[in-house]
Amino acid sequence: MLKKRVLVTILSCLLIFLVILLFEDDSKTHNMFTKMITISASKSSNYVDNDLQVVEVDTSSEEEEVEDVTNDTEVSEVANTVTNMNNENLVESEVVESQPVIVYDGMTMDELASKLERSLKNELSGKGYLYASYSLEKGVDPYLAVAISLEETGCNWNCSNLVKSCNNVGGMKGTGCGSYGAWPTLDDGIRAFIDNIYRNYVAYGLTTADLMNPKYAENPAWSTNVNNYIARIKNS
């Protein structure tokens, strides 16, 4: 469009120029055609300026589009970075969660429960996890708890009537079963037994069979028997 207008303007100027040559002696005619040339040139300039303004607007629009594309690209890169960081954190979290939790003597809770279970027979069979988890919860050595139960109940061969009738797994004094304590379930009796060890012995620093012996049993060989059971449990 711009080229066409310029071409028309040039042709008009040439035509006017020829007319001037023909009437070069006529001053009025000369002035008239001079004004015509000026007006024509002015209009041509306006046409050119208008087209240039349109081009400038179009260029600005393209620059805005480029900026928008750039901004979109930056936002996309940031979003991808955040997503990658989240994915890395999830992977690290999964790795940490997959690591086995050691609870006692280099073993996990399940491994400890299985080890204790191998020494629990008759009525005490199947209580390995309870001994393991509740002993650790109360701060009692699980080997010691099981060993005392084996010594007091005879369950390594045949559980005593105190276990069968009263759910008493530690020879604990009390009421409900003659001069001994009684509990509604075997699980309740095991928890009460471990509570007793913690409250009356471990809390006072009596954490081994040797330290507990004078207070727990009249038999001076009691600690030796308990320690033998502990050795058997560790090697099972």
Side-chain angles (χ1 to χ4, degrees), residues 106-124:
M107 293 177 288
T108 65
M109 184 65 75
D110 288 338
E111 291 170 340
L112 174 60
S114 295
K115 178 179 275 293
L116 299 181
E117 187 64 38
R118 288 192 285 271
S119 297
L120 296 171
K121 302 175 182 178
N122 300 303
E123 276 74 13
L124 296 183

Side-chain angles (χ1 to χ4, degrees), residues 70-84:
T70 301
N71 291 335
D72 290 342
T73 301
E74 292 175 351
V75 171
S76 178
E77 291 177 351
V78 171
N80 290 335
T81 300
V82 172
T83 301
N84 291 335

Side-chain angles (χ1 to χ4, degrees), residues 134-236:
Y134 200 68
S135 292
L136 294 178
E137 179 182 334
K138 301 302 293 187
V140 173
D141 183 343
Y143 291 159
L144 179 63
V146 171
I148 293 174
S149 286
L150 294 177
E151 170 65 16
E152 293 294 328
T153 63
C155 285
N156 192 48
W157 298 276
N158 183 28
C159 290
S160 67
N161 187 63
L162 198 59
V163 176
K164 295 177 181 179
S165 301
C166 306
N167 296 311
N168 189 326
V169 299
M172 295 175 289
K173 299 290 185 175
T175 60
C177 194
S179 59
Y180 292 90
W183 286 269
T185 69
L186 187 59
D187 285 5
D188 291 333
I190 292 173
R191 293 189 185 94
F193 162 66
I194 295 172
D195 284 337
N196 178 59
I197 293 177
Y198 171 74
R199 184 173 58 252
N200 294 312
Y201 299 91
V202 173
Y204 293 95
L206 308 177
T207 57
T208 66
D210 293 328
L211 294 174
M212 292 173 64
N213 196 156
K215 186 176 180 179
Y216 200 101
E218 295 179 358
N219 181 5
W222 180 87
S223 60
T224 300
N225 296 336
V226 171
N227 287 330
N228 288 337
Y229 276 118
I230 291 175
R232 288 172 58 182
I233 293 169
K234 288 183 176 180
N235 294 325
S236 63

Side-chain angles (χ1 to χ4, degrees), residues 11-26:
L11 291 175
S12 298
C13 292
L14 290 175
L15 180 60
I16 293 169
F17 181 75
L18 291 175
V19 173
I20 291 173
L21 291 178
L22 292 175
F23 299 95
E24 61 180 343
D25 293 331
D26 189 339

